[in-house]
Amino acid sequence: MSLKKSFLVSLFLFCINCGVPTGDFGWANTRSSDIDLLEKEWKTITDFRMMREGLIFSPKDTIHFVYTFSRNPGATTDFHISLNRYELDYVEIDIKKKNVDTDSNSIRDEFQKLAIGEYLLKIVHEGETIDQVVFQVLPDEGYAQSNLEQELSGTEVDEIVKYSR
């Protein structure tokens, strides 16, 4: 009887550790105008703010992110980073294949020159979304009534496209 219990406990613990672990997102931003070309090539961002809520960036920012896994998913495990922009629904605008850095159990990447809008960043493994987070890219001066009116009164002829911005 004790052997059966031991086997069941071992099986249960094995099942808990199966699959790809989840993790946490960390964020940092830099302005490319503040960094010279040589420093840009060699500088490694190490100071990330671990958070999921209230993420707002400027279109002038280079957005650096890190996704740190709770445990090592393996060096040969492939992940895809999917960046989606909200336009009537989320539309995929960028996808990158990444492997985990085994020293830090994390994936790092960056995005530059993102247009103003709402974005969804997904960590995907074998077609399954492991984790995701939403962030905003807003103008430095923020939104005011005049900004919204100017954006809505654009030269777009198609009213569906014009008013869906």
Side-chain angles (χ1 to χ4, degrees), residues 83-98:
L83 182 64
N84 303 270
R85 184 167 188 252
Y86 190 80
E87 294 175 13
L88 300 179
D89 196 5
Y90 285 106
V91 178
E92 188 172 74
I93 60 171
D94 191 13
I95 189 162
K96 300 175 183 178
K97 185 177 177 182
K98 294 286 188 176

Side-chain angles (χ1 to χ4, degrees), residues 2-162:
S2 172
L3 185 58
K4 282 185 179 182
K5 286 182 182 178
S6 171
F7 176 73
L8 288 175
V9 169
S10 298
L11 182 63
F12 176 73
L13 291 175
F14 176 74
C15 288
I16 288 175
N17 287 326
C18 291
V20 178
T22 58
D24 293 314
F25 283 98
W27 303 89
N29 61 314
T30 58
R31 296 268 170 124
S32 52
S33 60
D34 297 342
I35 303 172
D36 65 13
L37 185 60
L38 185 59
E39 185 179 7
K40 192 176 189 179
E41 290 296 320
W42 294 98
K43 185 173 182 173
T44 301
I45 305 295
T46 58
D47 189 24
F48 291 94
R49 184 178 287 162
M50 305 306 279
M51 58 190 297
R52 291 180 174 272
E53 302 292 323
L55 297 167
I56 299 173
F57 301 99
S58 166
K60 298 175 186 173
D61 289 341
T62 297
I63 303 168
H64 306 270
F65 80 90
V66 63
Y67 187 76
T68 305
F69 290 94
S70 57
R71 61 180 168 79
N72 190 341
T76 59
T77 307
D78 291 332
F79 291 93
H80 289 89
I81 308 303
S82 171
L83 182 64
N84 303 270
R85 184 167 188 252
Y86 190 80
E87 294 175 13
L88 300 179
D89 196 5
Y90 285 106
V91 178
E92 188 172 74
I93 60 171
D94 191 13
I95 189 162
K96 300 175 183 178
K97 185 177 177 182
K98 294 286 188 176
N99 289 328
V100 177
D101 176 16
T102 55
D103 293 335
S104 63
N105 290 338
S106 63
I107 296 173
R108 294 173 185 246
D109 204 1
E110 66 183 42
F111 297 105
Q112 296 178 349
K113 300 179 183 175
L114 293 179
I116 294 168
E118 180 177 294
Y119 292 86
L120 173 67
L121 179 65
K122 294 181 182 182
I123 308 295
V124 179
H125 173 64
E126 294 182 356
E128 295 290 323
T129 300
I130 304 299
D131 208 345
Q132 63 186 21
V133 67
V134 174
F135 65 90
Q136 304 282 330
V137 176
L138 299 177
D140 288 334
E141 63 275 0
Y143 271 114
Q145 188 64 27
S146 61
N147 294 84
L148 290 174
E149 289 172 4
Q150 183 180 15
E151 190 174 310
L152 288 176
S153 68
T155 59
E156 186 64 47
V157 177
D158 185 359
E159 288 188 10
I160 293 173
V161 174
K162 179 179 177 180

